[in-house]
Amino acid sequence: MAKLRGARRGAALAMGTVLAVTGLVGCAKEDTGGTTADGVQLVKTGKLTTCTHLPYSPFQSKDASGKVVGFDVDIVDLAAKKLGVTQEIVDTPFEGIKSGADLNSGKCDVAAAGMTITEPRKQVLDFSAPYFDATQALVVPVGKSYKALADLVGKRLGVQGATTGEDYVKQQVQQQNLKIEVVSYKDLAAAQQALVTGQIEAAVGDLPVWNEYVTKNPGKAVVAGGFDTGEQYGLAVKKGGNPKLLETINQALAEARADGSYDKIYEKWIGAKPTV
């Protein structure tokens, strides 16, 4: 009986050793991030992890092979190249991006989602220098004659939720006392589908995004008007959490504007760059 107990004790010790080793191996595989030669902290070693929300073409969307491509992707690649790392993209709801939650939790290093710089967002995010000037567009199905918000009284108007387009429309509807039903959708694709299937009479959203949709879907919708809201997009990092990364991003943007790289990216995804 003593021998049996000893054998059991030995087996238990052996099992404990195996479990301990397994635990150590598991810990060894976990990537807790790293620091580049320039002192920039990253959530994954050798990667600049970007949070975005798909689809938002031409800023970010998947191509035929499933790879995420777009204007924002190429802009972030400028910073990744400067850091000597590669970009890794995480698709996540926009609410978590604009609130700063995704950056605070360590889901990503930088947010790039066609995101307008606003005062409320600056309270929870550190923004880069602006990298894109944006305006809002009024989009209607082909054959409709709407040209302004006032034309949509008694109608349903679609917007993407949690965006500056939604904020602008709701503000204008209230200020002008317009009886318009504003319908918010979780993403751009849902708003586009609602427009072409007649669930809404018109939509408001960022002009470059809707221009892309109209071009790729002839005969379905047209840009009927626009609203110059003075918006500018910025990349964002954790509030007070990564000043060296923010500095690197701003340096990369400045260098790209100076050497013509920015203009090439703009023409590739947006078209001819405005001269003013």
Side-chain angles (χ1 to χ4, degrees):
M1 181 65 98
K3 288 183 179 180
L4 181 57
R5 287 178 183 148
R8 286 176 177 171
R9 187 178 298 113
L13 289 171
M15 181 61 72
T17 302
V18 170
L19 290 173
V21 171
T22 302
L24 288 172
V25 171
C27 290
K29 289 182 179 179
E30 183 181 353
D31 188 349
T32 56
T35 305
T36 68
D38 296 329
V40 176
Q41 295 179 344
L42 300 175
V43 297
K44 287 187 179 181
T45 303
K47 302 285 186 182
L48 180 59
T49 308
T50 303
C51 279
T52 194
H53 181 53
L54 302 172
Y56 208 65
S57 178
F59 295 96
Q60 54 269 332
S61 62
K62 290 183 179 180
D63 64 13
S65 69
K67 180 181 178 181
V68 180
V69 298
F71 185 89
D72 281 2
V73 178
D74 286 0
I75 290 295
V76 175
D77 271 342
L78 295 171
K81 183 178 180 180
K82 192 170 181 64
L83 291 169
V85 299
T86 57
Q87 181 181 182
E88 182 172 284
I89 298 172
V90 178
D91 182 19
T92 184
F94 188 66
E95 184 60 42
I97 295 175
K98 77 163 191 171
S99 68
D102 290 334
L103 289 163
N104 292 339
S105 68
K107 182 181 286 188
C108 49
D109 302 297
V110 60
M115 182 163 56
T116 300
I117 302 169
T118 67
E119 287 303 319
R121 292 174 184 175
K122 285 165 70 173
Q123 301 304 309
V124 294
L125 299 165
D126 281 341
F127 278 100
S128 70
Y131 70 91
F132 188 84
D133 296 331
T135 58
Q136 297 292 319
L138 175 66
V139 187
V140 303
V142 169
K144 299 290 185 178
S145 59
Y146 309 124
K147 298 293 183 183
L149 292 180
D151 298 332
L152 293 162
V153 171
K155 309 293 184 182
R156 287 163 55 89
L157 173 64
V159 294
Q160 181 179 345
T163 63
T164 52
E166 178 187 45
D167 294 342
Y168 175 79
V169 166
K170 288 184 175 180
Q171 180 186 59
Q172 293 300 309
V173 166
Q174 182 178 22
Q175 289 180 354
Q176 299 180 44
N177 194 28
L178 300 173
K179 303 301 182 183
I180 297 173
E181 182 182 354
V182 180
V183 184
S184 299
Y185 293 91
K186 66 177 182 178
D187 55 37
L188 178 67
Q192 291 170 335
Q193 180 67 14
L195 182 69
V196 298
T197 55
Q199 298 174 52
I200 53 178
E201 288 292 309
V204 169
D206 288 1
L207 177 60
V209 177
W210 278 101
N211 269 342
E212 174 92 350
Y213 178 80
V214 168
T215 300
K216 290 187 175 180
N217 297 272
K220 290 189 175 182
V222 296
V223 175
F227 313 99
D228 187 359
T229 54
E231 296 177 45
Q232 292 182 305
Y233 291 170
L235 304 179
V237 302
K238 182 179 178 180
K239 182 71 175 177
N242 213 332
K244 285 188 176 292
L245 176 56
L246 188 62
E247 180 182 351
T248 300
I249 290 171
N250 283 332
Q251 288 175 351
L253 287 172
E255 291 168 4
R257 289 185 184 278
D259 66 18
S261 301
Y262 176 89
D263 289 350
K264 290 179 181 178
I265 294 172
Y266 193 103
E267 290 172 8
K268 174 183 176 182
W269 294 106
I270 308 298
K273 190 171 179 290
T275 56
V276 293

